[in-house]
Amino acid sequence: MELSDKAIRKTDRPVLTKYDVPYEASLVFNAGVCKYGGKYIMVFRNDYGEFNGKKFAGTSIGIAFSDDGISWSVSDKTLSYSGHPEIVRIYDPRLSVIEGEIYICLACDTKHGLLGGVGRLHDFTEIEFLSFLPPDNRNLALFPEKINGKYILLERPMPVYSRGKDRFDMWICESPDLIHWGGHRLIAGVEDISYANNKIGPAAPPVKTEKGWLTLFHAVEIDPSRGKNGWEDKWQKTYRAGIMLLDLNNPSIIRGIYDKPLIVCDRDYELENGFRKDVIFPGGMILEDSGEVKIYYGASDTVECLAFADVNELIALCK
Ligand code: BMA
């Protein structure tokens, strides 16, 4: 059994599971979290219905509220959305508060490819999409403030010809208005992460510290000798969370990176009965005034979990 880093202190059970949800729910995971108006807001993915050996009946996006970031109460309404005629499914939300508005990035499956959607959350009930990164690019995280007058977005394009199968890297781009995106630059490639051999991608929106933007990412290792690891006939990937520090003024530059995984699956509640075992997929990170960092992550595509860390310890890891 791998042990996650000692800088990480996990709670003793998930913070949200299907049993907390007042409507049909099977897998409750990969949430985005922010602090807004004195409350914590969580927007999560719910795959519901029977698993037919390939997929679930559907996916909805739920919302939950909390006073302490630990105990959550789930609204009985799922989120609706507007702004694109061809979307068939949205999932893996990430939340960012910019100048008093809640913005949301989501993966969007459409009839013509996988899009990364950038939207605004209205009244905690409706997502208004503002723009989309062209296909295939479904893994986005928006910085919580403008830098040099521009909105900044972590992204993960998915090249299919030039890099090899599933070999995807972490990029960054910018926009004057959250609609027109440009200035796309590579931040890190798979080969820069020692514990990844498949793909990497953005996780939670970065948090600002004096030393730089503390930035989580997920890193995927594939092992063809692995077989059944969950409900599917075969699941050969391991998803771990890593951490890096990006330059405050030019976040396309890495100032430091931890050379080991920060969070791995190592608890029974992350593994037992999991849909896809060995998946850590962080989507939310909150820096408290005390210096405590709350990291929210989906575990094994099944439950939503929480870990605590100290901001200075995380910075110190990013050498
Ligand atoms: C990725 C996304 C995530 C999921 C992960 C592991 O490609 O689909 O939603 O958590 O795979 O299954």
Side-chain angles (χ1 to χ4, degrees):
M1 185 188 285
E2 291 179 281
L3 284 181
S4 56
D5 195 276
K6 62 180 183 330
I8 289 293
R9 291 169 288 281
K10 294 180 176 179
T11 53
D12 56 11
R13 60 189 136 106
V15 282
L16 205 75
T17 74
K18 63 178 179 177
Y19 302 108
D20 302 307
V21 175
Y23 40 82
E24 189 180 15
S26 300
L27 308 175
V28 168
F29 65 114
N30 290 6
V33 181
C34 70
K35 250 174 134 171
Y36 186 82
K39 292 231 178 232
Y40 295 78
I41 316 291
M42 176 189 283
V43 174
F44 59 89
R45 165 175 175 177
N46 167 32
D47 288 6
Y48 59 86
E50 284 298 303
F51 178 62
N52 67 9
K54 280 206 168 115
K55 54 183 193 168
F56 284 85
T59 298
S60 60
I61 301 296
I63 185 163
F65 303 92
S66 171
D67 291 326
D68 59 7
I70 300 168
S71 307
W72 294 88
S73 79
V74 178
S75 161
D76 56 10
K77 281 204 189 69
T78 57
L79 301 186
S80 61
Y81 58 90
S82 62
H84 197 292
E86 287 207 343
I87 292 177
V88 290
R89 185 171 76 125
I90 61 174
Y91 51 102
D92 296 354
R94 281 107 190 235
L95 301 179
S96 309
V97 178
I98 310 176
E99 296 167 5
E101 295 271 1
I102 303 179
Y103 293 92
I104 183 163
C105 294
L106 286 138
C108 306
D109 293 354
T110 78
K111 291 180 209 155
H112 292 89
L114 309 176
L115 308 183
V118 180
R120 196 180 283 134
L121 183 64
H122 293 287
D123 302 326
F124 307 111
T125 51
E126 201 205 325
I127 299 159
E128 174 204 8
F129 281 113
L130 303 170
S131 57
F132 296 90
L133 276 283
D136 281 352
N137 191 343
R138 66 173 176 188
N139 220 308
L140 310 180
L142 192 57
F143 280 65
E145 63 182 66
K146 290 187 203 167
I147 300 173
N148 302 319
K150 301 267 178 60
Y151 296 96
I152 308 290
L153 187 66
L154 298 175
E155 59 168 336
R156 211 282 303 276
M158 299 155 91
V160 289
Y161 290 121
S162 51
R163 291 275 290 151
K165 189 170 187 302
D166 243 16
R167 203 166 168 82
F168 308 144
D169 312 303
M170 192 160 134
W171 289 64
I172 192 166
C173 61
E174 60 189 37
S175 169
D177 53 10
L178 290 171
I179 295 169
H180 304 91
W181 295 98
H184 303 268
R185 277 155 295 167
L186 178 74
I187 294 186
V190 177
E191 64 279 9
D192 298 319
I193 308 300
S194 60
Y195 48 92
N197 66 5
N198 184 234
K199 56 186 171 181
I200 59 172
V207 301
K208 194 177 193 179
T209 75
E210 277 175 14
K211 303 282 184 196
W213 291 99
L214 203 51
T215 302
L216 289 166
F217 57 94
H218 65 261
V220 184
E221 186 180 44
I222 192 157
D223 175 358
S225 70
R226 268 166 56 108
K228 189 161 170 61
N229 287 286
W231 302 10
E232 295 164 303
D233 290 341
K234 199 163 72 177
W235 177 249
Q236 299 182 320
K237 292 176 185 166
T238 298
Y239 278 63
R240 304 180 177 97
I243 194 151
M244 58 172 76
L245 204 56
L246 301 177
D247 187 83
L248 278 181
N249 287 312
N250 182 354
S252 65
I253 299 172
I254 298 176
R255 286 291 168 211
I257 185 161
Y258 184 33
D259 60 1
K260 297 193 189 70
L262 182 71
I263 312 177
V264 302
C265 272
D266 58 7
R267 300 295 169 93
D268 285 351
Y269 64 80
E270 297 169 335
L271 296 162
E272 289 305 308
N273 308 316
F275 171 58
R276 284 178 167 172
K277 293 194 181 175
D278 293 308
V279 175
I280 295 285
F281 200 86
M285 176 162 56
I286 306 277
L287 172 56
E288 306 289 5
D289 292 341
S290 64
E292 179 191 79
V293 178
K294 293 187 174 77
I295 298 174
Y296 296 87
Y297 60 98
S300 292
D301 285 5
T302 307
V303 291
E304 184 65 21
C305 298
L306 167 63
F308 302 97
D310 174 81
V311 68
N312 292 320
E313 283 185 43
L314 293 181
I315 291 169
L317 293 176
C318 298
K319 300 247 170 56

